Amino acid sequence: MRLLVGGAEVARYVVDPALDARHGPRPYLHPVRTLGGTVVTDALPADHVWHLGASLAVQDVNGSNLWGGRTYVRDVGYTWRDDHGVIAHTGEVERSPGRYVHDLQWRDRAGGVLLTERRWLAASALTPDIWRLDLETVLVAPDDREVRLGSPATNGRPGGAGYGGFFWRAVADGEPEVFTVDAAGEETVNGSSAPWLALTGVGSDGGAYTLVFAGLGRGDRWFVRTGMYPGVCVAFAFDRPAVLPVGGSRHGRYRVWVADGTLNRDAVAGLVALAP
């Protein structure tokens, strides 16, 4: 499925990817482009093959790995386990050039339904150099059990590895810069709860770009990497599990501004302030 802005394709949404179960099959956005054509996502990179552009994924959903790769086991470390589930498209609700809505199921390796979800995606132009992605999601737990969302950090891994949630694997030539309203650098912003976070980099075509993320919910934190690889995540379980009660729901609304060029802190703050 293609997302268009003014007739130009800014993102492709892979609804039903044919992937090895160990890569955490799930819908994902890739490639995502600036209006100038610079690609700002990476998918299936050699360093972490299970990183799939921009997607929702959690490593521990009631013991099932829906992130891909090895599972972090307390007092053991990362271990290959036969615990990989899938986030599966189950039905299309709405489709237009700049908007897509569909239903999904988060399933364990045996096909059991862990969560159901409705997801909305929309793309809109803001200026000749900036467009915005809006992604909204409602996750619903079954009527007979609660659902625990965990991460390597909640399972014992040190070093702020609280990833899992809305994750954006960026692409950058060299190490990108990252900053919030009052901090800069991976070590400072990782684990923060700032209202927005910006990443500036250079794409493989030499084009400079800026990504601005917003949408932390209650208890969410930013998970950020720039040294090992470029990635930003709205982390659901950064230092403690997130629990959906029996029959309960979790609502998320995430915004990503995709800009050509390098925006400074004042420009980013002004951009976010204009959002309705």
Side-chain angles (χ1 to χ4, degrees), residues 225-245:
R225 290 288 185 262
T226 57
M228 182 183 300
Y229 59 81
V232 174
C233 184
V234 176
F236 297 166
F238 189 86
D239 54 9
R240 58 178 61 90
V243 179
L244 280 72

Side-chain angles (χ1 to χ4, degrees), residues 36-247:
T38 295
V39 174
V40 295
T41 51
D42 199 359
L44 303 168
D47 55 34
H48 294 77
V49 183
W50 46 91
H51 287 184
L52 303 176
S55 69
L56 266 72
V58 175
Q59 197 190 66
D60 182 354
V61 183
N62 276 5
S64 291
N65 182 341
L66 300 185
W67 175 271
R70 295 175 298 166
T71 298
Y72 193 87
V73 179
R74 188 178 299 275
D75 300 325
V76 177
Y78 280 112
T79 305
W80 282 110
R81 302 179 68 184
D82 190 15
D83 62 354
H84 295 91
V86 61
I87 300 174
H89 163 83
T90 57
E92 185 174 293
V93 177
E94 180 183 342
R95 177 192 290 251
S96 65
R99 180 176 167 87
Y100 187 70
V101 185
H102 68 139
D103 291 327
L104 308 97
Q105 289 181 345
W106 295 39
R107 300 171 180 163
D108 63 24
R109 62 180 296 273
V113 178
L114 300 164
L115 294 164
T116 57
E117 180 191 358
R118 176 158 289 185
R119 186 180 301 179
W120 297 257
L121 299 97
S124 56
L126 301 181
T127 74
D129 300 319
I130 304 172
W131 69 277
R132 190 180 73 209
L133 171 71
D134 287 84
L135 190 154
E136 189 169 359
T137 174
V138 177
L139 295 168
V140 180
D143 290 332
D144 59 351
R145 63 187 179 280
E146 70 176 21
V147 177
R148 177 189 181 276
L149 307 179
S151 67
T154 65
N155 288 331
R157 181 184 169 183
Y163 57 80
F166 174 52
F167 177 67
W168 190 292
R169 173 62 192 256
V171 60
D173 183 5
E175 185 172 345
E177 301 291 330
V178 64
F179 58 90
T180 65
V181 65
D182 58 1
E186 176 185 323
E187 291 186 3
T188 305
V189 302
N190 185 53
S192 74
S193 56
W196 56 261
L197 183 145
L199 182 145
T200 64
V202 176
S204 58
D205 64 351
Y209 68 85
T210 302
L211 302 173
V212 182
F213 301 88
L216 292 186
R218 181 177 297 178
D220 295 344
R221 307 274 282 280
W222 295 114
F223 168 80
V224 181
R225 290 288 185 262
T226 57
M228 182 183 300
Y229 59 81
V232 174
C233 184
V234 176
F236 297 166
F238 189 86
D239 54 9
R240 58 178 61 90
V243 179
L244 280 72
V246 174

